[in-house]
Amino acid sequence: MRQDFLAPGRAPQAGGRGARERLLAGLPVVEHRIDLAGVSTAVLVGGEGPPLVLLHGPGEHALKWARVIPALVREHRVIAPDLPGHGSSASDGRGMSAEEALQWLGELLDATCPVRPVLLGQITGGAMAARLAAGGGHRLAHLVLVDSLGLAPFNPTPEFGQAIGAFLAEPGELTFDRLWRRCAFDLERLRATMGEQWEAYATYSLERGRTPEVRGAVHRLMEQFGFPAIPAEVLARIEVPTALIWGRHDLATSLSVAEEASRRYRWPLWVVEDAADDPAFEQPARFVETLRAVVSRSAVSQAPRTIEEGGKDGVLTA
């Protein structure tokens, strides 16, 4: 695997840089810049051990993993990129095709992973990861899909659909707040827990979300990986050990979608309580504990099983 061009570096960025620096402060990672499929890509790298690649969702950035990175780097070499056109990664304004995005992801794995990694994707990042696994699973040790799109056509609850539509049409503090009240199970608790870190996260996310480059990238990402379902025959080609992690209260992709995928493909399903579509953000300790169990168990068996009182019908509760 080639890693010769993985060198520290930061590209200049307009508004929000101060907030990004505050989010980075104290994290056990180094920000690198790598050219992948022609895209100057910002990548956070830290820790030692088996590689773990984290792919975020639409309109987000690698710093959405900040609440779990400190625990994950104790056991893994963590690689968390800003997707093309997101965060501090470059964009040509048109967004990437599905083929270009998968080429970008393949080059990321080649550049950063000396051995086969655990590939974890959330929302659109999950759909990207699943499509790569279907065509190149030999490159992966495990696949973990977190509240992933692509397992069924995008069909959020009406309140979530209205909130995301309003934010995409007019990104602002009010629409951002309304959207996050649908993305989080308990936004007030999340804000109180994060304190100043929430303010930095919201400031950076909103300022980036207002830019034409990010808005274009989000539209293209949803068009390619978010709205359509991955054909069942494609998902059936995934042979690498695969597991699902889902927030109990996901309004964008309901738990029933994950339950159906778990039954059809015999992928273990782990449900995180008191979380919506972002369990790593809302319940970081539970998420890390769940991921550890996923990786250790998926190598042994693909069959769903119950491990504690909360588990039933092949669903495991975290």
Side-chain angles (χ1 to χ4, degrees), residues 80-97:
D82 289 343
L83 295 184
H86 291 66
S88 192
S89 290
S91 170
D92 60 8
R94 66 176 178 84
M96 304 183 85
S97 68

Side-chain angles (χ1 to χ4, degrees), residues 14-300:
R17 169 51 74 183
R20 184 178 177 93
E21 295 290 355
R22 292 200 300 277
L23 291 168
L24 277 167
L27 277 184
V29 294
V30 175
E31 186 178 5
H32 299 267
R33 187 154 293 274
I34 317 175
D35 184 74
L36 303 170
V39 176
S40 179
T41 303
V43 185
L44 305 182
V45 181
E48 298 293 337
L52 169 63
V53 178
L54 305 174
L55 303 180
H56 62 75
E60 299 180 328
H61 42 82
L63 287 161
K64 67 83 49 77
W65 304 107
R67 302 194 76 198
V68 296
I69 282 176
L72 294 177
V73 296
R74 297 172 192 161
E75 300 173 7
H76 292 276
R77 175 180 172 82
V78 174
I79 298 110
D82 289 343
L83 295 184
H86 291 66
S88 192
S89 290
S91 170
D92 60 8
R94 66 176 178 84
M96 304 183 85
S97 68
E99 293 74 17
E100 290 169 329
L102 293 180
Q103 178 187 349
W104 171 89
L105 179 52
E107 291 189 14
L108 173 73
L109 301 184
D110 288 344
T112 61
C113 301
V115 297
R116 291 185 301 163
V118 176
L119 178 59
L120 183 152
Q122 186 215 7
I123 312 180
T124 44
M128 287 178 62
R131 284 192 176 272
L132 181 95
H138 62 282
R139 308 172 74 168
L140 307 177
H142 304 280
L143 173 67
V144 183
L145 305 179
V146 181
D147 291 82
S148 179
L149 297 182
L151 302 182
F154 186 57
N155 186 30
T157 63
E159 60 267 33
F160 188 94
Q162 292 168 4
I164 193 171
F167 177 75
L168 292 175
E170 188 175 350
E173 292 182 7
L174 183 60
T175 55
F176 183 81
D177 181 81
R178 286 176 176 170
L179 177 58
W180 262 95
R181 290 188 183 279
R182 303 296 183 266
C183 292
F185 173 66
D186 188 340
L187 182 59
E188 298 308 325
R189 182 182 63 188
L190 180 62
R191 283 173 165 166
T193 300
M194 292 183 66
E196 292 182 359
Q197 286 296 99
W198 169 260
E199 296 303 321
Y201 177 84
T203 297
Y204 182 64
S205 300
L206 181 55
E207 289 194 18
R208 295 303 298 144
R210 283 171 164 157
T211 65
E213 294 81 9
V214 172
R215 295 177 72 178
V218 169
H219 177 79
R220 188 68 163 156
L221 192 66
M222 288 296 295
E223 183 181 66
Q224 297 291 328
F225 294 101
F227 297 133
I230 301 171
E233 61 270 20
V234 174
L235 291 173
R237 293 203 298 264
I238 297 176
E239 297 182 351
V240 64
T242 299
L244 306 169
I245 300 178
W246 230 259
R248 170 73 69 184
H249 305 282
D250 188 339
L251 299 179
T253 305
S254 71
L255 181 59
S256 63
V257 171
E259 290 171 336
E260 172 58 28
S262 177
R263 285 191 293 268
R264 174 175 292 196
Y265 305 107
R266 295 185 63 79
W267 295 339
L269 168 61
W270 302 68
V271 178
V272 179
E273 300 294 345
D274 299 330
D277 67 9
D278 202 340
F281 209 63
E282 286 198 87
Q283 300 292 342
R286 290 183 190 174
F287 181 84
V288 170
E289 181 181 0
T290 301
L291 181 57
R292 286 179 181 143
V294 163
V295 172
S296 64
R297 286 174 178 268
S298 63
V300 176

